[in-house]
Every structure is written in C-alpha cells, then in structure tokens.
Amino acid sequence: MFSIFSLKSGISNVKGFFCDGVSVGMKPNGGLDVGFIRSETPCDISATFTTNRFQASPIKHYQRYPKDFKTNFLLVNSKNANAMTGEQGIRDIDEIFNRLSQKISIENPIMSSTGVIGYRLDIDKITSSFNKFDFSAKDSTKLAEAIMTTDSFKKELAFEVKLEDGSSFNIAGVCKGAGMINPAMATMLCFVTTDANIPKEDMDELLKDAVEQSFNRISVDGDTSTNDTVFLLANRATPNYNKEAFREALNRMLFEFAMMILRDGEGSNKVVAFTVKGAKSKEEAKIASKALSNSLLVKTALFGEDPNWGRIASTIGASGVECSEESLEIYYDDLLIYSKDKRELDQETEERAYQIMKQDSFKIVCDLGVGEAEFTSFGCDLSYEYVKINAEYRT
Amino acid sequence: MFSIFSLKSGISNVKGFFCDGVSVGMKPNGGLDVGFIRSETPCDISATFTTNRFQASPIKHYQRYPKDFKTNFLLVNSKNANAMTGEQGIRDIDEIFNRLSQKISIENPIMSSTGVIGYRLDIDKITSSFNKFDFSAKDSTKLAEAIMTTDSFKKELAFEVKLEDGSSFNIAGVCKGAGMINPAMATMLCFVTTDANIPKEDMDELLKDAVEQSFNRISVDGDTSTNDTVFLLANRATPNYNKEAFREALNRMLFEFAMMILRDGEGSNKVVAFTVKGAKSKEEAKIASKALSNSLLVKTALFGEDPNWGRIASTIGASGVECSEESLEIYYDDLLIYSKDKRELDQETEERAYQIMKQDSFKIVCDLGVGEAEFTSFGCDLSYEYVKINAEYRT
C-alpha cells in the first residue's frame, strides 16, 4: 500500500537537487534559455533517446561516458539543437564544461539541447549563464521555462510517495514538447529526478516501461526529432523506496507529461485516444492505432468536428492490418457509429457524435473483430495554427 | 522511331469511344456528377486498384467478373464513394445496370465511384442520368467534370502516336484527384482509352509499370482511399500498334496526370521532387524519399519557403535508413545546402535557396553517400487551405 500526492512546482521538491534558469539572450525579449539541474552528490542516471539516425551532439557526448557512469550536473539550452554539427558539436560541449569546471565542481557533466538544427552553439553566450545562475537555487519553474521552444505553457510535476511504513520519497520533473511529437518519442525533453533509494537496474527497467506507455504512444505530427531525451536522475538522498510505488508514480508522471505535450500540440485543440481492439495481434493493433493518430485526414476531421467515420475506416483499411467491413465496429466514446448493420449515420447518431467531438478529449474505439489484441495511442487535431507555426518556425 | 503529339480534349479523340457527363442533382448548383465511357465494340480492360483493405463496392463488383472479361460500358459518379456499403452496395450496382440494360445494349458493365464513404448510392438519382445522357456523344470534358470532387480543374489528356510506317493510334484519358493522394495510389480515378491494337498482356504489363512510375510516386497527405482505380480500355479500332511507342505514351500520360493531381493537391502551391540517391538499396532510397514527401514538417517548411535543411535531415534520420551526417549531402536544385564541410547556412546560400524555394516546382536531392541506389517521389506543400478544405469536406 502506498499513496501518491501531487505537490506544487517540480524538481524543487526533491532532496539534494538544485535547479535554475536564466536568459543569455538567445530567445527574444529576455526569455529564459539556459538552465541546469545539479545534485549535491553524484547521481545514477537512466536515459532514453530518439531513434533518429542523426542523433544530436549532446546525445553523442553522453554516449562517450562509460556504462553506468554517475553525474552531478545537467546543463540544458533551448533555441539551438546542436544537431548535425559533427565532431565540432561535441568539442563545443567539452569546451563549455571546461569553463564550467572553473566555477563549480562537476563530475561527468551532461548536456541536453533543443531548437534549430544545423548551427553551432554560441559558446560565449551559453557560458555567460554561469555568472547568472544561482547554483544553490531550487527554481524548477525557471528551469521549465528555459527548455520551452514552441511550448505555450511550462510543464513540471512533483509527487510525494508515502509508503505503508510512513516513510516517503519524492519524484519530480520538467518536460518540454509541443510539435513534432511522434509515437517514437520526438522533439521532447523530459528530466525526472528522485531522492528515492532506487537500485540502478530498477531505474532502467521502470524508465523504459514508463516511456513505452506514455511518450511512445502520442503523436502530434508523425515526425521524430534528433534530440529527444528522457533522463531519470537518482541521488538516493532518502533511504526510502518501494518498486511498485515508484513504478506507479513514474508511469503517472510520464503519462501526464505526455498528455500535456499533446494538449500543447502546435495549434491543437483536442486530445483523442485511439483504441484499436479485436486485432489479430498486438503489433497489428499498434499499426492501426498509430495510423489513426498520424492520419492528416483524421486529424483535420477532428478539427472540423465532423463525425466522418469513413476516414477512420479508410485509414484502418490503408494500414494493411487484417480487418473486414463486416466485422468492424467504430465507437466515439460509447456511441456505436459504424457496424455492418448500422452503416449510414442517422440524424440522431450524427448529432450525438457531434456532441462527443466537441469535447476537449474523447476516445475513438475501433473493434476489428478478428482477434483479441488491443493497443491505444493518443493524438490531436490539426488546425490552421499548426501550419502557421511550422511554416514560420525559423523566422 | 515514333512521334507523340498532344491533342486537344481527351477521350473524344479515340476512335470508337463515346463519353458524356450530366447532372442528376447530387452536386450543388447543377455541377455534373454522373458520366460514362462507352465503346462501340467490347474492350479489353486492365485495372489497378487501391491497396486499401476496405475496397469500395464498385471494385468488388468488378472483381466478380471472370478474368479477362470484356466490357463496353463504364459508368462513373462523384459525391458518393459507395464504399463500406457491404453486399447492398454491390446489389445497388446490379440494379443500376439492370435499368441501364433497358435503355442500351451493355456487356459486362463496370462502375467507378468517388466521394463520401458509408452511404448507399441514390439509385433513382443515378439512373435518372440515363434519360439525360447522349450515348453517342464524344464529350470528354463533361466526363472529366463529372468525376471531380475537390479538384479545382478538369484533367484530361490525349496523344496521337505516329509510327514510322505512317500509321497512328490514339491514347487519351480523364483523371481526378486532389487530396488524399498517397504513394500507394489514393483517392484518384483515371480512365485511359486507346484504339491501338495492343495485346492484352502488353496492356497489363505497361499499365502496371506506368502506374508504378507515376501515381505511386506522389503524395499529397499520405492517406490511401477505398476507391482508387486506374482503368485502361482498348477497343482496337485501329490495326496499329508499337509496344515501345505505347509504353512511352502511356508513361508520359500517367506522369502528367500525376503532376496535375499534385499541382491540384488540396490547397497546395508547389510541386517538389524528392530524390534520394547514394542509398544502400533501392528499398531504402524509396523509404527515405517517401518519408520526405509525407513529412508534415517538410511540407510546412515548403509552404513557408524556409530553407530549413534541418527538417530534411531529421526526416531522413527518422526514416531509419542507413546514413551518416558525415556522408550526407543535401541540394536544392543544384545548390549544395548541406555537407559535412558546409553545415551552417551562410547568407548567400540562404538567399539563393530562398529564390529556389519560391519557384512553383523544384527538386530536393539528398545524397546519403552510403551506396548507389536512387529513388524519386513527388510531393507538395501543406497550406492553411489544406486544413480548411479537409476540416469542412463533408459539410
């Protein structure tokens, strides 16, 4: 038995971690653009990275450390992804940390970046943050702001987990991501810290599982970035831990972050769960479900609040999974909208479907009727605003 | 040796074929919505259909005929796809042709439909066309109009092919398609007729090849419809034929139709050729090329005329093909925009790239530098207008 309580703010709640965010002038109007997470004692770290073949320089830099290294410092910046920058991009990170080591004691420092691809970091600007940081601050909100790009709101969460014996630990994180989020974890950064006494092997296992059930199930536009990163940092500042409690808290946190990202999908207005069930295999359920959350025609129909189930059916058919129009059933929430005996939308069903689609979130369930397997992914609508944001991003 | 001459109008030029289009009131404002192609003598027919698992009723109706059947009548309608309509959808086609057989002599008549999914055809409306048709008309333009849905212009082409011995034959067609065009041949109809004396096995071979090099290489939005159909009808009204000449004419015709569709992509303003070369295999070149023509972020960058090669690189990396940032080169037309020695865009390159992107059409070439294989697909930009059209389609 355990209980999970939501706390205000984010990483500030976790023992032994410090964080801050400052402006070095890369964002217009003095927006915060560089931040850090620092731990009093070296942390164990688990990571999940993008599957993109062109991994950004900070990821390559991370991968040069030996397996199971410990770190006490994470530096992050927005506006520049430090991607497609070659060996120079890695040397730039080394130079930045050389300079940092003259200010503060660091051990195996790591970096994370997000922004435009193809430009070297401005080392002088980045390192000018070192004179502005309060290295003893616990300001999670400033950190959350410093990693935003097209995000329209800051994303931070903190949970206190109380165990049966009265002991407790904390888990908290910040996250960024809005556009370009694909089921395979794209342009998003998420940094989770904990003071739980969690073994390293549990960190790896539980992070992988939690990412699979959260970030890997959401889609904004089907693209996958060069920089996606999820870090879990554990400094074990408390002696307390319970695996199931930690699993539950981490799953809940990453799922909430994923929903925040989707809700903040560039120009998106609704979050929709696409459940495909009755599939021949889990793999086929996943293919069909992700085809739905990635389809432009489905996304625009969601934006138009048009209960056009034909686009749902057509997308499932196009995905190539086993299905038949005789066994297929489609539901919006609990409303049956298509079956072989109910093909044409009557006026009443159409009106009820429209009411469902007007909600901020709802589910579309497709029962293929050919097996037992099920998978759910999450998507959002596609609006004029998406096109505007992405046509004008770099300018 | 042979010569190919473009002729005005479309199917009207082919001996022994008749066609017309009329309004039966399914489109608003009296737009033409039903048409036919009729041959004096029974035709051989070759067909390519959608890969969507939910094939529409007219396709299922076609497939009930024995292999290598001959037909003398093709009926087409827009506004209603007769898809996801079950056995009833096929019975409705039978009933329509029952009624037609009382007006005119038909042999193995076939049908093709495009429009909204999930509604039965209005048989009385469709068959009311039979009193309006001029069955001896040769009005290709009216037929081309009758098959339009979101198309903004009529698509018809006709070629006269003159052979070395002075003999000639004609090949002509009509086509529709604008949105929802995916590399796997989606929501498009194309009907090509010829009076050449072409053997049936050549028809099958040449049609398959020509579709592979045209409709299967274009993408508007990555979706694949239930109704896509390409028909080639040959009545052999002339004794003339040459295989290479026919191949060339058919390839050219389907490629031009494909470019027309792309140019008419819902709300699109430019056509872009995405060539991926230096790939490990043809399959990998194809995967990367189609990833580019389908990427939302690439499409919106094209619309914004933003020479943001990072999105090109990121999309290639996300496609999972073998590549490295050291060997990759990216060109816009002939302008080198990325290589390992030229990563950051200088002012002059950026200005030149912008001038290239302002054109109605241009090419983006990615040399992966890891092999010899090459593939080209074609795509278009994504504009506000696309979202508007597809959010409001059914209403």
Side-chain angles (χ1 to χ4, degrees):
Chain A
M1 289 293 296
F2 55 85
S3 310
I4 299 176
F5 298 92
S6 286
L7 305 175
K8 280 196 182 164
S9 185
I11 291 174
S12 330
N13 294 286
V14 186
K15 291 187 175 65
F17 281 103
F18 306 94
C19 52
D20 198 7
V22 298
S23 167
V24 300
M26 298 190 294
K27 277 186 189 164
N29 309 319
L32 308 188
D33 42 24
V34 185
F36 73 84
I37 297 174
R38 187 176 75 82
S39 173
E40 244 163 5
T41 55
C43 297
D44 271 332
I45 181 163
S46 292
T48 317
F49 295 118
T50 181
T51 57
N52 196 297
R53 289 269 184 147
F54 297 123
Q55 292 186 323
S57 294
I59 297 176
K60 291 183 194 159
H61 177 267
Y62 176 100
Q63 286 163 342
R64 289 189 320 179
Y65 285 120
K67 192 173 176 303
D68 293 339
F69 71 100
K70 287 173 187 284
T71 180
N72 68 352
F73 203 93
L74 166 65
L75 182 68
V76 295
N77 74 280
S78 49
K79 286 306 274 183
N80 185 328
N82 194 12
M84 302 294 289
T85 45
E87 266 299 306
Q88 186 62 52
I90 301 172
R91 283 195 296 270
D92 288 345
I93 297 172
D94 283 333
E95 173 59 20
I96 287 166
F97 286 136
N98 268 338
R99 298 192 193 177
L100 179 60
S101 66
Q102 289 150 30
K103 300 282 297 181
I104 187 168
S105 160
I106 48 176
E107 179 176 333
N108 301 326
I110 57 179
M111 191 159 182
S112 198
S113 300
T114 179
V116 175
I117 291 171
Y119 294 87
R120 282 185 62 189
L121 292 176
D122 184 328
I123 294 180
D124 290 335
K125 273 196 177 167
I126 299 270
T127 56
S128 72
S129 66
F130 303 159
N131 292 321
K132 299 181 175 183
F133 283 146
D134 174 355
F135 288 108
S136 301
K138 287 175 86 74
D139 199 328
S140 173
T141 308
K142 282 190 181 160
L143 170 65
E145 185 183 331
I147 60 176
M148 288 167 71
T149 53
T150 53
D151 302 61
S152 67
F153 59 88
K154 293 185 274 282
K155 300 172 182 71
E156 52 178 346
L157 289 170
F159 296 148
E160 181 184 14
V161 183
K162 290 197 174 160
L163 304 178
E164 215 170 357
D165 63 4
S167 71
S168 69
F169 60 84
N170 299 290
I171 168 170
V174 294
C175 181
K176 71 126 313 207
M180 211 166 130
I181 301 295
N182 159 281
M185 218 186 95
T187 301
M188 46 84 42
L189 302 177
C190 179
F191 311 128
V192 178
T193 58
T194 185
D195 49 25
N197 188 23
I198 180 175
K200 178 65 165 65
E201 65 262 29
D202 285 6
M203 290 173 65
D204 293 341
E205 176 196 335
L206 298 183
L207 182 67
K208 187 161 170 285
D209 288 354
V211 167
E212 190 52 49
Q213 289 173 48
S214 56
F215 300 120
N216 283 355
R217 294 199 180 212
I218 61 175
S219 170
V220 175
D221 56 19
D223 279 286
T224 310
S225 99
T226 51
N227 290 58
D228 309 332
T229 298
V230 181
F231 283 140
L232 173 60
L233 295 156
N235 66 0
R236 309 204 176 86
T238 76
N240 310 321
Y241 177 66
N242 170 285
K243 185 171 179 179
E244 286 320 302
F246 195 92
R247 182 199 301 276
E248 175 73 21
L250 185 65
N251 283 353
R252 197 188 293 184
M253 181 165 291
L254 297 200
F255 190 78
E256 282 194 30
F257 276 137
M259 292 302 117
M260 283 183 192
I261 287 175
L262 215 45
R263 180 78 57 197
D264 201 9
E266 290 167 352
S268 94
N269 302 295
K270 334 180 167 287
V271 170
V272 180
F274 295 97
T275 296
V276 172
K277 63 184 193 184
K280 196 75 184 294
S281 66
K282 180 95 183 255
E283 188 54 26
E284 292 218 334
K286 191 171 174 177
I287 288 169
S289 169
K290 290 193 170 182
L292 288 171
S293 51
N294 279 321
S295 162
L296 273 185
L297 284 168
V298 171
K299 283 167 165 302
T300 48
L302 294 177
F303 175 60
E305 297 175 344
D306 179 358
N308 188 348
W309 62 261
R311 291 193 184 169
I312 305 284
S314 180
T315 302
I316 294 211
S319 76
V321 303
E322 188 171 323
C323 54
S324 91
E325 66 179 86
E326 306 306 315
S327 64
L328 178 70
E329 291 181 353
I330 302 174
Y331 298 81
Y332 287 9
D333 281 347
D334 296 322
L335 177 69
L336 176 66
I337 195 159
Y338 170 86
S339 75
K340 71 178 194 300
D341 300 319
K342 183 180 180 352
R343 293 172 187 263
E344 297 190 12
L345 276 185
D346 56 64
Q347 197 58 44
E348 189 199 328
T349 307
E350 178 144 1
E351 178 54 33
R352 287 178 60 198
Y354 174 68
Q355 294 302 330
I356 290 167
M357 294 188 82
K358 277 172 62 180
Q359 303 170 100
D360 284 352
S361 68
F362 62 99
K363 63 182 178 190
I364 293 179
V365 180
C366 299
D367 188 341
L368 304 186
V370 296
E372 301 294 326
E374 179 171 336
F375 191 89
T376 298
S377 68
F378 299 87
C380 58
D381 57 339
L382 178 73
S383 68
Y384 307 132
E385 201 56 23
Y386 174 89
V387 178
K388 186 170 158 61
I389 292 169
N390 282 292
E392 296 170 2
Y393 178 55
R394 221 175 46 114
T395 43
Chain B
M1 289 293 295
F2 54 85
S3 311
I4 299 177
F5 298 92
S6 286
L7 306 175
K8 280 197 181 161
S9 183
I11 291 175
S12 330
N13 293 285
V14 187
K15 290 187 176 65
F17 281 102
F18 305 94
C19 52
D20 198 7
V22 298
S23 167
V24 299
M26 297 191 293
K27 279 186 187 162
N29 308 320
L32 307 189
D33 42 26
V34 185
F36 74 84
I37 297 174
R38 185 175 77 81
S39 173
E40 246 164 6
T41 56
C43 297
D44 269 333
I45 180 163
S46 290
T48 317
F49 295 117
T50 181
T51 57
N52 196 298
R53 289 269 185 147
F54 297 124
Q55 293 187 320
S57 294
I59 297 176
K60 292 183 192 159
H61 176 266
Y62 176 100
Q63 286 163 340
R64 289 190 318 180
Y65 285 121
K67 191 172 176 303
D68 293 339
F69 72 99
K70 288 172 186 282
T71 181
N72 67 352
F73 202 93
L74 165 64
L75 182 68
V76 296
N77 72 281
S78 51
K79 287 304 275 183
N80 184 328
N82 194 11
M84 302 293 289
T85 44
E87 266 300 306
Q88 185 64 50
I90 302 173
R91 281 196 297 269
D92 287 345
I93 297 173
D94 283 333
E95 172 58 20
I96 287 166
F97 285 136
N98 267 339
R99 296 192 195 176
L100 179 60
S101 67
Q102 288 151 29
K103 300 281 298 184
I104 187 168
S105 161
I106 48 176
E107 178 175 333
N108 300 327
I110 58 180
M111 191 158 182
S112 198
S113 300
T114 179
V116 176
I117 292 170
Y119 293 87
R120 281 185 62 188
L121 293 175
D122 184 328
I123 295 180
D124 290 335
K125 273 195 178 168
I126 299 270
T127 56
S128 73
S129 66
F130 302 160
N131 293 321
K132 299 179 175 184
F133 284 145
D134 174 355
F135 289 108
S136 302
K138 285 175 89 72
D139 199 328
S140 173
T141 308
K142 282 190 180 161
L143 170 65
E145 184 183 332
I147 61 177
M148 288 166 73
T149 54
T150 53
D151 302 60
S152 68
F153 59 89
K154 292 184 273 282
K155 300 172 182 72
E156 51 179 347
L157 288 170
F159 296 148
E160 181 184 13
V161 182
K162 288 195 176 162
L163 304 178
E164 213 169 0
D165 62 4
S167 71
S168 69
F169 59 83
N170 299 289
I171 168 171
V174 296
C175 181
K176 73 126 311 205
M180 210 167 133
I181 301 295
N182 158 284
M185 217 186 97
T187 303
M188 46 83 45
L189 302 178
C190 179
F191 310 129
V192 179
T193 58
T194 184
D195 49 27
N197 188 24
I198 181 175
K200 178 63 164 67
E201 65 263 29
D202 285 6
M203 291 173 65
D204 293 341
E205 175 196 335
L206 299 182
L207 181 67
K208 187 160 169 285
D209 288 354
V211 167
E212 190 53 48
Q213 289 174 49
S214 55
F215 300 120
N216 284 355
R217 292 197 181 215
I218 62 175
S219 170
V220 175
D221 57 19
D223 278 285
T224 308
S225 100
T226 50
N227 290 58
D228 309 332
T229 297
V230 182
F231 284 140
L232 173 60
L233 295 156
N235 66 3
R236 311 204 175 82
T238 75
N240 309 321
Y241 177 65
N242 169 284
K243 186 172 179 179
E244 286 319 302
F246 195 91
R247 182 200 301 275
E248 173 73 22
L250 185 64
N251 282 354
R252 194 186 294 184
M253 181 165 290
L254 296 201
F255 189 78
E256 283 195 28
F257 275 137
M259 292 304 116
M260 284 185 192
I261 286 175
L262 216 44
R263 182 79 57 196
D264 200 10
E266 290 166 353
S268 96
N269 303 295
K270 341 182 161 284
V271 170
V272 179
F274 295 97
T275 296
V276 172
K277 63 184 192 183
K280 197 74 183 294
S281 66
K282 180 94 183 255
E283 188 53 27
E284 292 217 335
K286 190 171 173 176
I287 287 169
S289 169
K290 291 192 169 183
L292 289 171
S293 52
N294 278 322
S295 161
L296 272 185
L297 284 169
V298 171
K299 283 168 167 299
T300 48
L302 294 176
F303 175 60
E305 295 173 347
D306 179 358
N308 187 349
W309 61 261
R311 291 193 185 171
I312 305 284
S314 179
T315 302
I316 291 200
S319 76
V321 303
E322 187 171 323
C323 54
S324 91
E325 69 179 83
E326 305 308 314
S327 64
L328 179 69
E329 292 181 355
I330 302 174
Y331 299 82
Y332 287 9
D333 279 348
D334 296 322
L335 176 69
L336 176 66
I337 194 157
Y338 170 86
S339 74
K340 71 177 191 302
D341 301 319
K342 183 181 179 0
R343 293 173 186 264
E344 297 192 11
L345 275 185
D346 56 63
Q347 197 58 46
E348 189 200 327
T349 307
E350 177 143 4
E351 178 54 33
R352 288 179 59 199
Y354 174 68
Q355 293 301 330
I356 289 166
M357 295 188 81
K358 278 171 62 179
Q359 302 171 101
D360 284 352
S361 67
F362 62 99
K363 63 182 178 193
I364 293 179
V365 179
C366 299
D367 188 340
L368 304 186
V370 297
E372 301 294 327
E374 179 172 337
F375 191 88
T376 298
S377 68
F378 300 87
C380 58
D381 58 337
L382 179 72
S383 68
Y384 307 132
E385 201 56 22
Y386 174 88
V387 179
K388 186 169 157 59
I389 291 168
N390 282 292
E392 297 170 359
Y393 177 57
R394 221 176 46 114
T395 41

